[in-house]
Amino acid sequence: MPTSPDRKSSADDFYASLKERASAIEGRYRSLTPESARLNEEAQSFQPGGSTRDAVLRQPYAPFFSGGEGGWVTDADGRRITDLWFNASSLPLGYGDPGVLAAVHEQLSRGTAFFGPTEPDVEFARLLCQRLTSAERVRFTNSGTEAVMVAIQIARGLTGREGIAKFEGSYHGTYDDVFWSVATGSLDVGPVDRPVPIVGSLGVPPDPSRTLVLPFNELGATEKLLEANAHRIAALLVEPVPHRMGLIRPEPGFLEGLRAICDRHGMVLIFDEVIAFRVGYHGAQGLFGVKPDLTVLGKIIGGGFPAGAVVGRTEVMAVTEPNRAKRVPHFGTFSANPVSMVAGKATMEALTPGVFRGLNDSGERIRRELRRICEGLPLRVTGVGSLFKINATDLTIRDYRTALTVDRRWQELASLALLNEGFFLTTKLHGCVSLATTEEQIENFLSAFERLVRGGT
Ligand code: PMP
């Protein structure tokens, strides 16, 4: 990634011009959000860091939310904010969709949880099998993390091998064997053809023997590493649209190559579509035309309620069949919870092929406009479907290594400055649109972003 000294210094000058305004941006945020500040103070006394979810934290503190309607959220100080992240992309219809609310209200009056299966879970499982070409059987979970955990156990049960291969920079939840090489810090990541596995938590045993870390979009190196370790690898886990690398696309032939390697070596190919299911009616596997053995789902399939799923081929999922002597058991007091099931089904039914086209057209338009605004600046716009991300780097992002080059402080400050203007994105500038997002909200966001990069906001 050679960057010429001149280019680097002009990029640094650009980033510095926003950083010089850091205290003004933070001061304005504090003056707009006194109630969030008070709640944050109080939360610190009861929850480490002031929140249960590390991902929502930001400096100087996160905004607390009190409501959502359509494409808007209201914060604890009563400000109406255009939401461009929708609880980590999980609400494709926006807040308070009437169809979802009606389904949920009806289910609430019938009962919220039973010690037995319900019709909604059968119907929803059928819908998922119709949508995803690789899905023939479904097991519901409470979250994406849990779905990953179950999928890995299924792969181990099927192959009799223990190891898991994953890509550096991919987050798949905090389950021990996948919580490796996740954080985008400037750690020593090793050579690209032999990434160093970096444990993601003090709570994970730092023994890398069960996790093989691979370089995304580097098929040759990936193939060599997998071939050398094939005898011990049960599953290859891949995000078709890796979130922390910038919601980027796999290069042509990459996913097809992974499919072929797994076939050759008897490894289970698992697609993590917890986010990527949002990119099209048939998910990322439909968009890219590659069939995994198992797919893990989450986020949008809960329709705003907690849900996850492992779906896959009958022969693979058969390892969980209850009538087998040796198997992979799977339980869960709230798995296939009927409220989540009806909310998820109402959401997915509203997401027709035409609705996906509209959402993706909006995403495409935002990326195009952002690219126009960013022309000549050290900013790169990435994303697929209705998902987008602004990256503070002048390099093309194609993997974890290039994603590591971003100026994180610039991104955080830009995110806070946009929040002051009434637009909510992540601190790393991930965004997405929902069906409820209006043209006017998009126009206003683009204008606010243009003012920001021209030094006006
Ligand atoms: N996989 C991916 C690709 C994700 O983005 C996430 C959550 N951001 C997870 C797994 C974990 O899902 P959950 O937060 O529902 O446990």
Side-chain angles (χ1 to χ4, degrees):
M1 292 169 281
T3 303
S4 77
D6 282 359
R7 231 176 68 205
K8 171 126 183 51
S9 85
S10 85
D12 286 347
D13 289 348
F14 172 79
Y15 303 136
S17 68
L18 187 67
K19 292 177 194 173
E20 278 157 17
R21 294 194 277 134
S23 59
I25 293 167
E26 286 193 12
R28 173 134 189 265
Y29 179 70
R30 286 181 192 279
S31 73
L32 289 168
T33 57
E35 185 59 10
S36 283
R38 189 191 68 74
L39 286 167
N40 174 60
E41 271 299 300
E42 205 174 318
Q44 300 283 348
S45 312
F46 304 104
Q47 299 180 57
S51 170
T52 287
R53 300 168 65 187
D54 285 5
V56 306
L57 298 176
R58 72 164 72 213
Q59 289 303 324
Y61 48 82
F64 280 64
F65 293 119
S66 61
E69 195 191 345
W72 300 88
V73 281
T74 305
D75 74 5
D77 290 276
R79 295 177 73 218
R80 271 186 106 219
I81 296 163
T82 289
D83 191 356
L84 289 167
W85 194 227
F86 294 98
N87 191 33
S89 79
S90 66
L91 298 161
L93 309 181
Y95 296 93
D97 176 78
V100 176
L101 286 187
V104 168
H105 282 145
E106 149 119 37
Q107 187 59 45
L108 289 177
S109 64
R110 288 169 189 264
T112 62
F114 305 96
F115 193 68
T118 62
E119 196 169 346
D121 77 69
V122 186
E123 289 174 358
F124 196 28
R126 179 186 297 120
L127 182 149
L128 293 177
C129 291
Q130 285 163 352
R131 290 283 169 105
L132 291 169
T133 48
S134 69
E136 293 168 350
R137 294 288 184 273
V138 176
R139 273 189 176 266
F140 288 108
T141 63
N142 298 284
S143 67
T145 301
E146 194 189 336
V148 168
M149 187 182 87
V150 174
I152 286 174
Q153 290 188 350
I154 291 173
R156 287 187 176 134
L158 190 78
T159 60
R161 305 173 190 164
E162 279 192 6
I164 301 301
K166 72 166 295 276
F167 290 93
E168 59 177 349
S170 266
Y171 174 75
H172 301 284
T174 52
Y175 179 51
D176 288 8
D177 294 339
V178 297
F179 204 18
W180 285 81
S181 298
V182 168
T184 43
S186 50
L187 297 164
D188 180 11
V189 289
V192 71
D193 58 347
R194 267 176 305 111
V196 173
I198 299 164
V199 71
S201 162
L202 273 181
V204 171
D207 163 16
S209 65
R210 287 209 312 225
T211 306
L212 178 67
V213 176
L214 304 166
F216 192 78
N217 267 339
E218 295 288 347
L219 191 58
T222 291
E223 184 163 15
K224 274 199 192 118
L225 286 165
L226 283 171
E227 260 168 18
N229 292 278
H231 57 286
R232 64 179 185 99
I233 300 295
L236 170 54
L237 181 59
V238 59
E239 282 178 281
V241 180
H243 170 210
R244 294 203 183 186
M245 288 176 232
L247 299 163
I248 56 173
R249 273 174 185 270
E251 287 173 2
F254 185 67
L255 294 178
E256 290 85 342
L258 300 184
R259 175 70 276 176
I261 297 168
C262 286
D263 288 343
R264 239 182 353 264
H265 297 290
M267 297 169 199
V268 177
L269 179 62
I270 308 175
F271 275 11
D272 181 340
E273 293 210 28
V274 168
I275 287 187
F277 195 19
R278 195 187 220 274
V279 302
Y281 187 74
H282 299 294
Q285 54 202 261
L287 184 69
F288 299 127
V290 176
K291 258 189 181 185
D293 301 302
L294 292 175
T295 306
V296 291
L297 303 170
K299 302 211 196 279
I300 66 169
I301 69 157
F305 288 80
V310 187
V311 307
R313 289 199 291 123
T314 310
E315 312 89 86
V316 179
M317 296 291 286
V319 186
T320 66
E321 290 281 357
N323 57 5
R324 291 165 68 120
K326 284 194 164 180
R327 68 185 198 102
V328 175
H330 168 225
F331 308 92
T333 304
F334 288 104
S335 292
N337 175 264
V339 182
S340 299
M341 296 293 100
V342 298
K345 182 165 168 275
T347 300
M348 297 307 298
E349 280 173 344
L351 291 172
T352 60
V355 167
F356 267 111
R357 263 196 303 281
L359 272 176
N360 292 351
D361 285 350
S362 296
E364 188 56 48
R365 184 175 141 235
I366 291 179
R367 287 191 296 276
R368 199 173 49 239
E369 287 297 308
L370 287 174
R371 282 190 187 117
R372 179 189 60 72
I373 295 167
C374 296
E375 222 174 288
L377 299 174
L379 300 172
R380 291 285 172 271
V381 178
T382 47
V384 180
S386 53
L387 299 157
F388 65 92
K389 182 176 185 312
I390 302 157
N391 307 276
T393 178
D394 59 359
L395 297 178
T396 301
I397 297 194
R398 61 178 294 274
D399 61 5
Y400 177 63
R401 308 291 167 119
T402 37
L404 275 178
T405 64
V406 299
D407 189 314
R408 297 177 75 175
R409 179 70 177 142
W410 190 91
Q411 293 181 169
E412 279 165 19
L413 280 173
S415 173
L416 198 64
L418 287 167
L419 188 50
N420 287 343
E421 295 304 302
F423 303 94
F424 185 83
L425 289 85
T426 71
T427 54
K428 299 187 176 87
L429 300 176
H430 297 90
C432 65
V433 283
S434 81
L435 197 57
T437 307
T438 64
E439 278 298 304
E440 198 185 354
Q441 286 180 300
I442 294 176
E443 284 302 324
N444 290 341
F445 161 64
L446 292 168
S447 307
F449 183 70
E450 187 151 20
R451 281 197 304 279
L452 172 81
V453 298
R454 309 270 175 256
T457 289

